[in-house]
mmCIF file of all heavy atoms in Angstrom:
data_model
loop_
_atom_site.group_PDB
_atom_site.id
_atom_site.type_symbol
_atom_site.label_atom_id
_atom_site.label_comp_id
_atom_site.label_asym_id
_atom_site.label_seq_id
_atom_site.Cartn_x
_atom_site.Cartn_y
_atom_site.Cartn_z
ATOM 1 N N VAL A 75 -21.480 -99.790 96.642
ATOM 2 C CA VAL A 75 -20.911 -100.472 97.719
ATOM 3 C C VAL A 75 -19.819 -101.501 97.372
ATOM 4 O O VAL A 75 -18.766 -101.518 98.009
ATOM 5 C CB VAL A 75 -22.080 -101.285 98.440
ATOM 6 C CG1 VAL A 75 -21.524 -102.263 99.525
ATOM 7 C CG2 VAL A 75 -23.001 -100.326 99.121
ATOM 8 N N PRO A 76 -19.849 -102.124 96.233
ATOM 9 C CA PRO A 76 -18.867 -103.115 95.850
ATOM 10 C C PRO A 76 -17.478 -102.424 95.699
ATOM 11 O O PRO A 76 -16.445 -103.060 96.161
ATOM 12 C CB PRO A 76 -19.318 -103.673 94.526
ATOM 13 C CG PRO A 76 -20.761 -103.494 94.519
ATOM 14 C CD PRO A 76 -20.940 -102.258 95.298
ATOM 15 N N SER A 77 -17.265 -101.278 95.286
ATOM 16 C CA SER A 77 -15.998 -100.733 95.134
ATOM 17 C C SER A 77 -15.365 -100.438 96.508
ATOM 18 O O SER A 77 -14.116 -100.572 96.766
ATOM 19 C CB SER A 77 -16.074 -99.272 94.437
ATOM 20 O OG SER A 77 -16.474 -99.516 93.214
ATOM 21 N N ILE A 78 -16.132 -100.095 97.505
ATOM 22 C CA ILE A 78 -15.649 -99.908 98.803
ATOM 23 C C ILE A 78 -15.223 -101.170 99.453
ATOM 24 O O ILE A 78 -14.147 -101.275 100.009
ATOM 25 C CB ILE A 78 -16.718 -99.156 99.757
ATOM 26 C CG1 ILE A 78 -17.024 -97.760 99.141
ATOM 27 C CG2 ILE A 78 -16.335 -99.168 101.276
ATOM 28 C CD1 ILE A 78 -18.267 -97.029 99.793
ATOM 29 N N ILE A 79 -15.992 -102.236 99.399
ATOM 30 C CA ILE A 79 -15.671 -103.524 100.000
ATOM 31 C C ILE A 79 -14.379 -104.056 99.302
ATOM 32 O O ILE A 79 -13.437 -104.512 100.001
ATOM 33 C CB ILE A 79 -16.795 -104.535 99.808
ATOM 34 C CG1 ILE A 79 -17.919 -103.969 100.717
ATOM 35 C CG2 ILE A 79 -16.320 -105.904 100.223
ATOM 36 C CD1 ILE A 79 -19.316 -104.781 100.426
ATOM 37 N N GLY A 80 -14.373 -104.104 97.923
ATOM 38 C CA GLY A 80 -13.180 -104.577 97.233
ATOM 39 C C GLY A 80 -11.986 -103.849 97.424
ATOM 40 O O GLY A 80 -10.824 -104.387 97.679
ATOM 41 N N GLY A 81 -12.005 -102.503 97.583
ATOM 42 C CA GLY A 81 -10.948 -101.653 97.943
ATOM 43 C C GLY A 81 -10.390 -101.916 99.210
ATOM 44 O O GLY A 81 -9.202 -102.015 99.434
ATOM 45 N N ALA A 82 -11.259 -102.076 100.167
ATOM 46 C CA ALA A 82 -10.877 -102.343 101.552
ATOM 47 C C ALA A 82 -10.082 -103.660 101.694
ATOM 48 O O ALA A 82 -9.079 -103.677 102.374
ATOM 49 C CB ALA A 82 -11.960 -102.353 102.526
ATOM 50 N N LEU A 83 -10.588 -104.669 101.103
ATOM 51 C CA LEU A 83 -10.023 -105.933 101.076
ATOM 52 C C LEU A 83 -8.606 -105.939 100.474
ATOM 53 O O LEU A 83 -7.589 -106.492 100.975
ATOM 54 C CB LEU A 83 -10.790 -107.016 100.383
ATOM 55 C CG LEU A 83 -12.133 -107.511 101.118
ATOM 56 C CD1 LEU A 83 -12.874 -108.420 100.213
ATOM 57 C CD2 LEU A 83 -11.733 -108.168 102.397
ATOM 58 N N ILE A 84 -8.426 -105.269 99.292
ATOM 59 C CA ILE A 84 -7.172 -105.188 98.625
ATOM 60 C C ILE A 84 -6.116 -104.337 99.522
ATOM 61 O O ILE A 84 -4.928 -104.691 99.634
ATOM 62 C CB ILE A 84 -7.296 -104.536 97.220
ATOM 63 C CG1 ILE A 84 -8.003 -105.664 96.341
ATOM 64 C CG2 ILE A 84 -6.021 -104.159 96.686
ATOM 65 C CD1 ILE A 84 -8.315 -105.151 94.930
ATOM 66 N N ALA A 85 -6.681 -103.244 100.213
ATOM 67 C CA ALA A 85 -5.798 -102.432 101.007
ATOM 68 C C ALA A 85 -5.350 -103.297 102.225
ATOM 69 O O ALA A 85 -4.125 -103.053 102.604
ATOM 70 C CB ALA A 85 -6.530 -101.182 101.446
ATOM 71 N N ILE A 86 -6.209 -104.080 102.783
ATOM 72 C CA ILE A 86 -5.771 -104.939 103.931
ATOM 73 C C ILE A 86 -4.735 -105.907 103.453
ATOM 74 O O ILE A 86 -3.726 -106.179 104.243
ATOM 75 C CB ILE A 86 -7.006 -105.657 104.448
ATOM 76 C CG1 ILE A 86 -7.900 -104.723 105.168
ATOM 77 C CG2 ILE A 86 -6.608 -106.880 105.383
ATOM 78 C CD1 ILE A 86 -9.281 -105.206 105.514
ATOM 79 N N VAL A 87 -4.855 -106.531 102.309
ATOM 80 C CA VAL A 87 -3.815 -107.411 101.794
ATOM 81 C C VAL A 87 -2.537 -106.701 101.656
ATOM 82 O O VAL A 87 -1.445 -107.182 101.943
ATOM 83 C CB VAL A 87 -4.234 -108.165 100.516
ATOM 84 C CG1 VAL A 87 -3.079 -108.870 99.874
ATOM 85 C CG2 VAL A 87 -5.456 -109.050 100.798
ATOM 86 N N GLY A 88 -2.610 -105.408 101.073
ATOM 87 C CA GLY A 88 -1.321 -104.596 100.961
ATOM 88 C C GLY A 88 -0.678 -104.359 102.342
ATOM 89 O O GLY A 88 0.574 -104.435 102.448
ATOM 90 N N ILE A 89 -1.484 -104.039 103.321
ATOM 91 C CA ILE A 89 -0.925 -103.819 104.666
ATOM 92 C C ILE A 89 -0.234 -105.044 105.210
ATOM 93 O O ILE A 89 0.718 -105.081 105.811
ATOM 94 C CB ILE A 89 -2.113 -103.280 105.594
ATOM 95 C CG1 ILE A 89 -2.491 -101.814 105.214
ATOM 96 C CG2 ILE A 89 -1.617 -103.368 107.043
ATOM 97 C CD1 ILE A 89 -3.764 -101.392 105.864
ATOM 98 N N MET A 90 -0.955 -106.166 104.960
ATOM 99 C CA MET A 90 -0.301 -107.498 105.359
ATOM 100 C C MET A 90 1.059 -107.722 104.679
ATOM 101 O O MET A 90 1.989 -108.170 105.319
ATOM 102 C CB MET A 90 -1.216 -108.705 104.963
ATOM 103 C CG MET A 90 -2.516 -108.745 105.995
ATOM 104 S SD MET A 90 -3.704 -110.026 105.422
ATOM 105 C CE MET A 90 -2.756 -111.457 105.438
ATOM 106 N N MET A 91 1.092 -107.377 103.318
ATOM 107 C CA MET A 91 2.304 -107.584 102.610
ATOM 108 C C MET A 91 3.487 -106.515 103.175
ATOM 109 O O MET A 91 4.598 -106.932 103.405
ATOM 110 C CB MET A 91 2.196 -107.332 101.163
ATOM 111 C CG MET A 91 1.500 -108.407 100.495
ATOM 112 S SD MET A 91 1.270 -107.999 98.744
ATOM 113 C CE MET A 91 2.922 -108.358 98.131
ATOM 114 N N LEU A 92 3.041 -105.425 103.609
ATOM 115 C CA LEU A 92 4.017 -104.372 104.208
ATOM 116 C C LEU A 92 4.461 -104.939 105.585
ATOM 117 O O LEU A 92 5.700 -104.842 105.935
ATOM 118 C CB LEU A 92 3.424 -103.043 104.308
ATOM 119 C CG LEU A 92 3.210 -102.205 103.157
ATOM 120 C CD1 LEU A 92 2.397 -100.935 103.380
ATOM 121 C CD2 LEU A 92 4.581 -101.772 102.586
ATOM 122 N N LYS A 93 3.510 -105.422 106.331
ATOM 123 C CA LYS A 93 3.856 -105.988 107.710
ATOM 124 C C LYS A 93 4.869 -107.140 107.489
ATOM 125 O O LYS A 93 5.829 -107.259 108.242
ATOM 126 C CB LYS A 93 2.545 -106.430 108.376
ATOM 127 C CG LYS A 93 2.856 -106.979 109.676
ATOM 128 C CD LYS A 93 1.592 -107.566 110.361
ATOM 129 C CE LYS A 93 1.828 -108.221 111.530
ATOM 130 N NZ LYS A 93 1.281 -109.649 111.568
ATOM 131 N N GLU A 94 4.543 -108.029 106.442
ATOM 132 C CA GLU A 94 5.419 -109.115 106.233
ATOM 133 C C GLU A 94 6.917 -108.678 105.887
ATOM 134 O O GLU A 94 7.894 -109.293 106.343
ATOM 135 C CB GLU A 94 4.819 -109.932 105.120
ATOM 136 C CG GLU A 94 5.576 -111.352 104.848
ATOM 137 C CD GLU A 94 5.438 -112.218 105.993
ATOM 138 O OE1 GLU A 94 4.547 -112.230 106.619
ATOM 139 O OE2 GLU A 94 6.358 -113.064 106.137
ATOM 140 N N GLY A 95 6.913 -107.633 105.012
ATOM 141 C CA GLY A 95 8.243 -107.053 104.667
ATOM 142 C C GLY A 95 9.064 -106.577 105.998
ATOM 143 O O GLY A 95 10.184 -106.755 105.969
ATOM 144 N N PHE A 96 8.326 -105.958 106.844
ATOM 145 C CA PHE A 96 8.970 -105.356 108.083
ATOM 146 C C PHE A 96 9.379 -106.576 108.987
ATOM 147 O O PHE A 96 10.498 -106.474 109.641
ATOM 148 C CB PHE A 96 8.070 -104.460 108.824
ATOM 149 C CG PHE A 96 7.908 -103.184 108.197
ATOM 150 C CD1 PHE A 96 6.655 -102.660 107.765
ATOM 151 C CD2 PHE A 96 9.069 -102.346 107.920
ATOM 152 C CE1 PHE A 96 6.560 -101.447 107.175
ATOM 153 C CE2 PHE A 96 8.902 -101.133 107.283
ATOM 154 C CZ PHE A 96 7.643 -100.612 106.947
ATOM 155 N N GLU A 97 8.653 -107.643 109.028
ATOM 156 C CA GLU A 97 9.002 -108.856 109.912
ATOM 157 C C GLU A 97 10.059 -109.597 109.179
ATOM 158 O O GLU A 97 10.658 -110.493 109.941
ATOM 159 C CB GLU A 97 7.779 -109.569 110.236
ATOM 160 C CG GLU A 97 6.809 -108.864 111.126
ATOM 161 C CD GLU A 97 5.502 -109.681 111.379
ATOM 162 O OE1 GLU A 97 5.301 -110.691 110.775
ATOM 163 O OE2 GLU A 97 4.646 -109.154 112.124
ATOM 164 N N ASN A 98 10.243 -109.536 107.933
ATOM 165 C CA ASN A 98 11.306 -110.170 107.222
ATOM 166 C C ASN A 98 11.230 -111.700 107.292
ATOM 167 O O ASN A 98 12.165 -112.262 107.558
ATOM 168 C CB ASN A 98 12.666 -109.632 107.578
ATOM 169 C CG ASN A 98 13.649 -109.758 106.439
ATOM 170 O OD1 ASN A 98 13.319 -110.109 105.351
ATOM 171 N ND2 ASN A 98 14.890 -109.484 106.793
ATOM 172 N N LYS A 99 10.083 -112.282 107.297
ATOM 173 C CA LYS A 99 9.896 -113.724 107.351
ATOM 174 C C LYS A 99 9.870 -114.212 105.879
ATOM 175 O O LYS A 99 9.780 -113.513 104.920
ATOM 176 C CB LYS A 99 8.549 -114.191 107.934
ATOM 177 C CG LYS A 99 8.399 -113.796 109.368
ATOM 178 C CD LYS A 99 7.037 -114.241 109.807
ATOM 179 C CE LYS A 99 6.800 -113.968 111.241
ATOM 180 N NZ LYS A 99 5.488 -114.236 111.742
#
Side-chain angles (χ1 to χ4, degrees):
V75 174
S77 297
I78 294 169
I79 294 169
L83 289 172
I84 288 175
I86 288 168
V87 171
I89 292 167
M90 289 172 59
M91 287 179 76
L92 285 171
K93 179 181 172 240
E94 187 68 28
F96 286 121
E97 291 175 356
N98 208 11
K99 292 181 182 175

